[in-house]
Amino acid sequence: MKNFEENIKTAHIICIGDELLIGQVVNTNATFLAHTLNLYGIFVEKIIAVPDDAQAISQAVADSFAHTNIIFTIGGLGPTKDDITKKVLCDYFQTVLVESGEVKQHVQTLYANRPCLLNHLTESQWLVPKDAKIFKNRVGSAPIMLFEKNGKQLFAFPGVPYEMKVAVNEQIIPFLQQQHNNKIIHKTLILHGVGESVLAEKIATWEDALPINIRLAYLPDNGVLRLRLSGYDTSEEAIDEKINTLYPLIEPYYIGEGETKTIEQILGDLLKANHQTIATAESCTGGKLASLLNKWSGSSAFYMGSVIAYDNSVKRDVLGVDETILQTKGAVSEETAKAMALGVRQLLHTDFAIATTGVAGPTGGTPTKPVGTVWISWATPTEVVAKEFRFGNERETITDRACKQAIVQMITLLKN
Amino acid sequence: MKNFEENIKTAHIICIGDELLIGQVVNTNATFLAHTLNLYGIFVEKIIAVPDDAQAISQAVADSFAHTNIIFTIGGLGPTKDDITKKVLCDYFQTVLVESGEVKQHVQTLYANRPCLLNHLTESQWLVPKDAKIFKNRVGSAPIMLFEKNGKQLFAFPGVPYEMKVAVNEQIIPFLQQQHNNKIIHKTLILHGVGESVLAEKIATWEDALPINIRLAYLPDNGVLRLRLSGYDTSEEAIDEKINTLYPLIEPYYIGEGETKTIEQILGDLLKANHQTIATAESCTGGKLASLLNKWSGSSAFYMGSVIAYDNSVKRDVLGVDETILQTKGAVSEETAKAMALGVRQLLHTDFAIATTGVAGPTGGTPTKPVGTVWISWATPTEVVAKEFRFGNERETITDRACKQAIVQMITLLKN
């Protein structure tokens, strides 16, 4: 058995762009790339963001190559004058730019229907470094480049998130797989209702018995806990065997599996498999729950729609919540939550419905119903249940956690 | 007049945490801090993310102090064993940890009602570096620290986003303001319907006439363009005078102002000022538009609710879209969009309504209605209008851009 450590490579990610340094743009590119590389067995040891400045870029590259053999740069490949990455990297690797007929044709085809855009792209987009390997950017104009020198590799990606993602998934990961012959298999289990430390105690004996080439990672995420098993130079069967002995220990918390699968996708899969439909009635979550349920392609098979009943008149007139309940129990109450769930289930003719009503703050809290109080109700063809939660004191966190709970408890109901 | 350059300080941000390097968490902390510091006149020259590793942290601090006098670290201050930042910084600055009665009392008060949480916080939380200045963390247990040595400053923040934000806004910015006596004034204008390069040409003469201590920044954001004027050692009146001569040039594009103000807040302000209300009927945006409109506290004054009519039966049965229209014109059509807007306006008794219906993809496109086709309709007390858009080919981008257009065009309608 090869030691798994031998398979792990390290890399740095260098993100280029003033917009990152002035806090105008959140660096989701680095997160996506780090996650993808990590799964593939490249551990990112450092992520650096530098401005569109030649000196800063080449210094960052030199600094990183002192510690790693692989660098990924993101950004600065556009046609405008502040995009200088290509030129800087050519200088660093002592090569020159030459015209690429292939890239030129690709860009002209890509923008054939948008002449005004093509107009703005100067010939700079089809100039490529003479000594770099060029990968096609299927959905954009800036090609992906690989510079190599003295055993060091530098991959340069455009900063447009969609272009970067497509290139990484379609071109770079297959290329790296072929080159490095990495054999890493991941299986990720998704749990709910158990904390990291409690679970670690429960499965300690099982975890200690794992062979050195199967590693376990705990990835907590706001009430949901992902357990990722990574096998190096092993078989799918070997990992499945380990997971089969784990299932009995985690059974009460288990809600699904998949590394990139979200809890709303798990709920959607369950509903689709049973040809069942769902709707939501939302007050405090204000449409957030709806947009999670229909975020993924194919959701029209199980998601019918929602009523966002922000104002009490909507709860009453559209969802049919009794005015007496609103007056005596209040909008944030078990009775209102249940009436909302039942109301939307009936109105939209679905099998299931979820309703939320709460105090998202920062104002509107009372001693008995402080900011963070949320009632969630779940209606099924046979019953309606509701539960009260306290989700802290920040508006965004409160509504995020309410959506998560709404979904995981619905999954639990569906499984039972 | 002092040269504005003298007022600009530089800094590095070092983010600490394995979760950043494996791509588990998006680094929104760095974005927030960089944006806040930038406004205050501290230019962030580098953002670095390193793992929870003593050698990596102290090396990053040493590397950064070779290039800057101010470092902000974020993360690694929790009570668990992987949180090592405090210890590493003490070693770096050659100081030791001592118990702080003040921090101890604060933490015990903060968690008085949550004994199980308090249980998990070891005494490590009230051990503070002997030679550091301590700032109170009003909403959490890990104190904020300032280490100083040989003219170098290092501020250490916890990685919990809400705790970091509160500390920066309430403690650190006021402290820096007092210490550095910076006088920077910003005014940000929000424009729509004009690109950066076109606008730059239109206002070139005006821009060239700006004094050296008033700087202009173009901040484009998916169809919305922010123009930020920053005045160094000048008066509010001097900036307003410049803006007054700018207004006539940008009048057709101007929709509002405010550095952190969002377009949905501008719409909300306009509605509130007129005591008017709004509702949405959403198909392809699926609740995203609703959740933008009620994202901010106070939205209940103008936002009544929404119908998310994902399935055609909901468009027909709840919003009253004619079945003949759905059959002959299709769900993605001018007629359906208008009927949805009129329907929800009537159902929820609002002054205004916005409706969206489109092909968010990746499936469902046709030659005449390809993926990215979105019809948006706006209903007012006197009219209903609709417009067709093509928003590219990625599901998330399509729905984001549809929401932005829905809001900015509503603002334009309200202003006229």
Side-chain angles (χ1 to χ4, degrees), chain A residues 20-26 31 34-35 38 43-49 51 162 219-220 286-288 290-291 294-297 299-300 303-308 310-311 313-314 318 347-348 361-363 393-396, chain B residues 20-26 28 31 34-35 38 43-49 51 162 219-220 286-288 290-291 294-297 299-300 303-308 310-311 313-314 318 347-348 362-363 393-396:
Chain A
L20 297 167
L21 281 307
I22 63 172
Q24 195 197 343
V25 164
V26 178
T31 309
H35 180 248
N38 188 258
F43 183 68
V44 177
E45 286 188 320
K46 206 172 197 173
I47 298 171
I48 303 120
Y162 185 53
L219 306 166
K288 222 180 218 186
S291 53
N294 62 50
K295 189 173 177 181
W296 312 97
S297 179
S299 50
S300 53
Y303 173 72
M304 299 300 276
S306 296
V307 173
I308 315 305
Y310 216 64
D311 196 75
S313 67
V314 184
V318 182
L347 184 70
L348 269 55
T363 58
N393 50 18
E394 202 208 8
R395 195 172 172 92
E396 190 135 1
Chain B
L20 297 167
L21 281 308
I22 62 171
Q24 194 197 343
V25 164
V26 178
T28 54
T31 310
H35 181 250
N38 188 257
F43 184 68
V44 178
E45 287 188 320
K46 205 171 197 174
I47 299 171
I48 303 120
Y162 184 52
L219 307 166
K288 223 181 217 186
S291 52
N294 62 50
K295 189 174 177 180
W296 312 97
S297 180
S299 50
S300 53
Y303 173 72
M304 300 300 276
S306 295
V307 173
I308 315 304
Y310 216 64
D311 196 75
S313 67
V314 183
V318 182
L347 184 70
L348 269 55
T363 59
N393 48 19
E394 202 208 8
R395 195 172 173 91
E396 191 135 0

